[in-house]
Amino acid sequence: MGAVSSSVLLLGDPVSRSLSPAMQNAAFEALQIDCRYRVREVGRSDLASAIEEIRADERILGANVTIPHKESVIPMLDELDPMAARVGAVNTISRDGRRLRGSNPDVVGFRRALDDCGYQVAARAVAIVGAGGAARAVVAALQSLTDRIWVIARNPDQARELSDHLHLDRSAAVGIERGPDVIAQADLVINATPADVVGGVGLRRDQQLFDLRSRRSAEGRAMLLHQGAASFEIWTGRAAPLDVMRAALAHAAEAVTA
């Protein structure tokens, strides 16, 4: 078999345990697209050079961007689509010649995952743990469904900046010390951090948890699936083979827990 002519990168730190390569490479193979999805562990100090590598090499169709780069990558790109500009975070990079465009399919991925997993959100109180790029996408997805949103973060300034950027009431930004009290008032708790929910807070039977961590939860994998399908369509201009991607993701998750 000859060398693969194109690639897509996953930029983040850490990324070695990501489930995305299995899912995306199954999609490329199913549609006979000569491309491979590759992980690239990139620290904060190396992000700018990784972006310039993408810009200079037209064999790289684009990239996914994950923790901790979804916000810091923005000044390195040439343009943002309207959703990425609204959210203030980028999950997907695509190219037009040497120009790089940032998008945020995390928003549509989260909305579709809510439907997939049967979560009812309308008019319910929601507590989001975390204030990074993933939390920004979740807030943007929820704003048309409810106005009862809190953002809980270890860094209160980060929570306030998110609230300001997305036009939440300032009282929505909550420090970690108030996290348990706020979570107790929520109908739905969303974990948008790499860690467990604040202090291991126990939830009541009438509360729901949506954990964005794809290696830890079915709902997180549903979001990864739909976000990944949207990214695939941005890079290739073709409809994503969703059933193929779903099966590959499930297989990769089973291998992790076996």
Side-chain angles (χ1 to χ4, degrees):
M1 181 177 178
V4 173
S5 61
S6 299
S7 62
V8 171
L9 305 181
L10 171 60
L11 307 178
D13 184 16
V15 289
S16 61
R17 301 175 69 201
S18 173
L19 301 176
S20 290
M23 174 180 69
Q24 295 290 1
N25 284 323
F28 287 132
E29 290 168 11
L31 297 189
Q32 298 183 319
I33 296 173
D34 190 14
C35 187
R36 292 293 291 175
Y37 188 95
R38 308 181 191 279
V39 298
R40 178 75 62 84
E41 195 145 307
V42 174
R44 295 180 190 273
S45 62
D46 297 320
L47 180 61
S49 61
I51 296 302
E52 286 311 301
E53 177 187 347
I54 294 171
R55 188 188 307 279
D57 188 348
E58 293 194 359
R59 294 172 300 177
I60 302 175
L61 302 183
N64 276 144
V65 183
T66 190
I67 294 173
H69 305 313
K70 291 185 179 185
E71 297 161 79
S72 56
V73 75
I74 288 176
M76 304 172 192
L77 305 176
D78 300 296
E79 60 180 305
L80 302 179
D81 74 5
M83 184 58 76
R86 177 189 166 200
V87 172
V90 162
N91 168 268
T92 300
I93 299 171
S94 56
R95 70 181 311 120
D96 180 8
R98 289 180 59 86
R99 291 182 60 80
L100 300 181
R101 176 180 174 89
S103 305
N104 196 311
D106 276 344
V107 177
V108 68
F110 179 71
R111 286 177 179 158
R112 291 174 180 169
L114 285 175
D115 291 339
D116 254 15
C117 299
Y119 283 75
Q120 300 298 316
V121 179
R124 302 179 78 199
V126 182
I128 302 166
V129 184
R136 285 170 172 264
V138 168
V139 170
L142 290 174
Q143 282 179 301
S144 64
L145 301 174
T146 182
D147 58 2
R148 301 171 65 197
I149 299 173
W150 294 285
V151 178
I152 303 166
R154 296 187 183 279
N155 182 340
D157 290 338
Q158 188 180 22
R160 283 191 289 269
E161 198 280 327
L162 184 159
S163 297
D164 289 345
H165 185 90
L166 288 167
H167 307 295
L168 296 178
D169 188 282
R170 290 282 284 196
S171 64
V174 178
I176 202 74
E177 70 285 350
R178 288 186 54 212
D181 292 337
V182 169
I183 287 173
Q185 301 175 57
D187 302 305
L188 172 62
V189 180
I190 298 170
N191 184 21
T193 78
D196 291 333
V197 172
V198 181
V201 173
L203 300 182
R204 303 185 308 271
R205 287 189 176 183
D206 63 333
Q207 291 178 299
Q208 287 184 298
L209 173 66
F210 191 113
D211 192 337
L212 268 60
R213 297 175 297 177
S214 59
R215 291 174 63 91
R216 299 291 293 273
S217 74
E219 63 271 17
R221 288 189 290 278
M223 180 174 172
L224 181 65
L225 169 68
H226 290 294
Q227 172 272 311
S231 294
F232 181 90
E233 291 174 0
I234 289 171
W235 297 318
T236 66
R238 297 178 64 179
L242 196 63
D243 289 345
V244 169
M245 298 175 80
R246 191 190 304 273
L249 182 58
H251 181 74
E254 287 172 5
V256 167
T257 56

mmCIF file of all heavy atoms in Angstrom, residues 62-80:
data_model
loop_
_atom_site.group_PDB
_atom_site.id
_atom_site.type_symbol
_atom_site.label_atom_id
_atom_site.label_comp_id
_atom_site.label_asym_id
_atom_site.label_seq_id
_atom_site.Cartn_x
_atom_site.Cartn_y
_atom_site.Cartn_z
ATOM 1 N N GLY A 62 -6.615 19.712 7.701
ATOM 2 C CA GLY A 62 -7.051 20.519 8.828
ATOM 3 C C GLY A 62 -6.729 19.814 10.125
ATOM 4 O O GLY A 62 -5.849 18.951 10.176
ATOM 5 N N ALA A 63 -7.456 20.169 11.177
ATOM 6 C CA ALA A 63 -7.160 19.616 12.494
ATOM 7 C C ALA A 63 -8.364 19.731 13.405
ATOM 8 O O ALA A 63 -9.251 20.563 13.196
ATOM 9 C CB ALA A 63 -5.972 20.353 13.122
ATOM 10 N N ASN A 64 -8.380 18.867 14.412
ATOM 11 C CA ASN A 64 -9.200 19.100 15.596
ATOM 12 C C ASN A 64 -8.297 19.722 16.662
ATOM 13 O O ASN A 64 -7.096 19.449 16.712
ATOM 14 C CB ASN A 64 -9.792 17.805 16.142
ATOM 15 C CG ASN A 64 -11.070 17.380 15.453
ATOM 16 O OD1 ASN A 64 -11.311 16.196 15.256
ATOM 17 N ND2 ASN A 64 -11.925 18.328 15.079
ATOM 18 N N VAL A 65 -8.912 20.526 17.509
ATOM 19 C CA VAL A 65 -8.182 21.195 18.589
ATOM 20 C C VAL A 65 -8.888 20.866 19.893
ATOM 21 O O VAL A 65 -10.107 21.013 20.003
ATOM 22 C CB VAL A 65 -8.155 22.723 18.382
ATOM 23 C CG1 VAL A 65 -7.331 23.388 19.478
ATOM 24 C CG2 VAL A 65 -7.594 23.067 17.015
ATOM 25 N N THR A 66 -8.123 20.407 20.881
ATOM 26 C CA THR A 66 -8.724 20.066 22.158
ATOM 27 C C THR A 66 -7.929 20.704 23.296
ATOM 28 O O THR A 66 -7.069 21.563 23.062
ATOM 29 C CB THR A 66 -8.855 18.531 22.302
ATOM 30 O OG1 THR A 66 -9.646 18.231 23.453
ATOM 31 C CG2 THR A 66 -7.499 17.849 22.374
ATOM 32 N N ILE A 67 -8.228 20.296 24.532
ATOM 33 C CA ILE A 67 -7.591 20.874 25.720
ATOM 34 C C ILE A 67 -6.083 20.881 25.568
ATOM 35 O O ILE A 67 -5.504 19.874 25.140
ATOM 36 C CB ILE A 67 -7.978 20.039 26.965
ATOM 37 C CG1 ILE A 67 -9.492 20.172 27.236
ATOM 38 C CG2 ILE A 67 -7.209 20.498 28.187
ATOM 39 C CD1 ILE A 67 -9.987 19.256 28.341
ATOM 40 N N PRO A 68 -5.387 22.001 25.840
ATOM 41 C CA PRO A 68 -5.893 23.259 26.403
ATOM 42 C C PRO A 68 -5.929 24.402 25.376
ATOM 43 O O PRO A 68 -5.753 25.576 25.760
ATOM 44 C CB PRO A 68 -4.847 23.565 27.476
ATOM 45 C CG PRO A 68 -3.551 23.111 26.828
ATOM 46 C CD PRO A 68 -3.905 21.919 25.952
ATOM 47 N N HIS A 69 -6.125 24.098 24.093
ATOM 48 C CA HIS A 69 -5.861 25.075 23.026
ATOM 49 C C HIS A 69 -7.085 25.687 22.356
ATOM 50 O O HIS A 69 -6.933 26.475 21.423
ATOM 51 C CB HIS A 69 -5.001 24.415 21.943
ATOM 52 C CG HIS A 69 -3.726 23.806 22.441
ATOM 53 N ND1 HIS A 69 -2.867 24.452 23.301
ATOM 54 C CD2 HIS A 69 -3.167 22.579 22.195
ATOM 55 C CE1 HIS A 69 -1.821 23.668 23.554
ATOM 56 N NE2 HIS A 69 -1.995 22.531 22.901
ATOM 57 N N LYS A 70 -8.296 25.345 22.764
ATOM 58 C CA LYS A 70 -9.476 25.759 22.003
ATOM 59 C C LYS A 70 -9.649 27.273 21.947
ATOM 60 O O LYS A 70 -10.193 27.802 20.970
ATOM 61 C CB LYS A 70 -10.737 25.127 22.589
ATOM 62 C CG LYS A 70 -10.821 23.624 22.385
ATOM 63 C CD LYS A 70 -12.155 23.087 22.878
ATOM 64 C CE LYS A 70 -12.262 21.589 22.651
ATOM 65 N NZ LYS A 70 -13.599 21.079 23.014
ATOM 66 N N GLU A 71 -9.194 27.962 22.971
ATOM 67 C CA GLU A 71 -9.287 29.422 22.982
ATOM 68 C C GLU A 71 -7.999 30.075 22.487
ATOM 69 O O GLU A 71 -8.033 31.021 21.696
ATOM 70 C CB GLU A 71 -9.629 29.902 24.387
ATOM 71 C CG GLU A 71 -10.983 29.409 24.888
ATOM 72 C CD GLU A 71 -11.108 29.496 26.391
ATOM 73 O OE1 GLU A 71 -11.366 30.614 26.883
ATOM 74 O OE2 GLU A 71 -10.945 28.451 27.068
ATOM 75 N N SER A 72 -6.855 29.569 22.920
ATOM 76 C CA SER A 72 -5.582 30.214 22.587
ATOM 77 C C SER A 72 -5.220 30.098 21.114
ATOM 78 O O SER A 72 -4.402 30.863 20.602
ATOM 79 C CB SER A 72 -4.453 29.631 23.445
ATOM 80 O OG SER A 72 -4.365 28.231 23.295
ATOM 81 N N VAL A 73 -5.840 29.147 20.371
ATOM 82 C CA VAL A 73 -5.513 29.002 18.953
ATOM 83 C C VAL A 73 -6.125 30.117 18.105
ATOM 84 O O VAL A 73 -5.666 30.381 16.988
ATOM 85 C CB VAL A 73 -5.983 27.615 18.439
ATOM 86 C CG1 VAL A 73 -7.505 27.579 18.247
ATOM 87 C CG2 VAL A 73 -5.280 27.248 17.142
ATOM 88 N N ILE A 74 -7.127 30.802 18.606
ATOM 89 C CA ILE A 74 -7.879 31.755 17.792
ATOM 90 C C ILE A 74 -7.007 32.822 17.129
ATOM 91 O O ILE A 74 -7.134 33.060 15.916
ATOM 92 C CB ILE A 74 -9.017 32.382 18.621
ATOM 93 C CG1 ILE A 74 -10.112 31.341 18.853
ATOM 94 C CG2 ILE A 74 -9.598 33.611 17.931
ATOM 95 C CD1 ILE A 74 -11.249 31.817 19.737
ATOM 96 N N PRO A 75 -6.098 33.491 17.839
ATOM 97 C CA PRO A 75 -5.296 34.531 17.177
ATOM 98 C C PRO A 75 -4.363 34.010 16.092
ATOM 99 O O PRO A 75 -3.844 34.796 15.293
ATOM 100 C CB PRO A 75 -4.483 35.148 18.332
ATOM 101 C CG PRO A 75 -5.179 34.726 19.575
ATOM 102 C CD PRO A 75 -5.802 33.412 19.275
ATOM 103 N N MET A 76 -4.147 32.706 16.026
ATOM 104 C CA MET A 76 -3.239 32.111 15.052
ATOM 105 C C MET A 76 -3.938 31.784 13.729
ATOM 106 O O MET A 76 -3.268 31.365 12.774
ATOM 107 C CB MET A 76 -2.607 30.842 15.634
ATOM 108 C CG MET A 76 -1.899 31.080 16.956
ATOM 109 S SD MET A 76 -1.354 29.535 17.736
ATOM 110 C CE MET A 76 -0.910 30.134 19.381
ATOM 111 N N LEU A 77 -5.266 31.953 13.677
ATOM 112 C CA LEU A 77 -6.041 31.601 12.492
ATOM 113 C C LEU A 77 -6.395 32.849 11.693
ATOM 114 O O LEU A 77 -6.348 33.970 12.203
ATOM 115 C CB LEU A 77 -7.315 30.860 12.913
ATOM 116 C CG LEU A 77 -7.090 29.624 13.797
ATOM 117 C CD1 LEU A 77 -8.424 29.026 14.224
ATOM 118 C CD2 LEU A 77 -6.231 28.587 13.081
ATOM 119 N N ASP A 78 -6.781 32.640 10.439
ATOM 120 C CA ASP A 78 -7.089 33.767 9.556
ATOM 121 C C ASP A 78 -8.534 34.224 9.665
ATOM 122 O O ASP A 78 -8.834 35.395 9.427
ATOM 123 C CB ASP A 78 -6.782 33.373 8.101
ATOM 124 C CG ASP A 78 -5.324 33.017 7.912
ATOM 125 O OD1 ASP A 78 -4.477 33.905 8.092
ATOM 126 O OD2 ASP A 78 -5.033 31.840 7.629
ATOM 127 N N GLU A 79 -9.431 33.301 10.004
ATOM 128 C CA GLU A 79 -10.833 33.672 10.128
ATOM 129 C C GLU A 79 -11.556 32.652 10.985
ATOM 130 O O GLU A 79 -11.083 31.533 11.196
ATOM 131 C CB GLU A 79 -11.513 33.768 8.762
ATOM 132 C CG GLU A 79 -11.505 32.471 7.965
ATOM 133 C CD GLU A 79 -12.195 32.629 6.615
ATOM 134 O OE1 GLU A 79 -13.366 33.068 6.611
ATOM 135 O OE2 GLU A 79 -11.564 32.315 5.595
ATOM 136 N N LEU A 80 -12.728 33.062 11.502
ATOM 137 C CA LEU A 80 -13.589 32.191 12.280
ATOM 138 C C LEU A 80 -14.960 32.139 11.633
ATOM 139 O O LEU A 80 -15.428 33.141 11.080
ATOM 140 C CB LEU A 80 -13.748 32.711 13.708
ATOM 141 C CG LEU A 80 -12.504 32.899 14.562
ATOM 142 C CD1 LEU A 80 -12.892 33.442 15.934
ATOM 143 C CD2 LEU A 80 -11.724 31.600 14.696
#
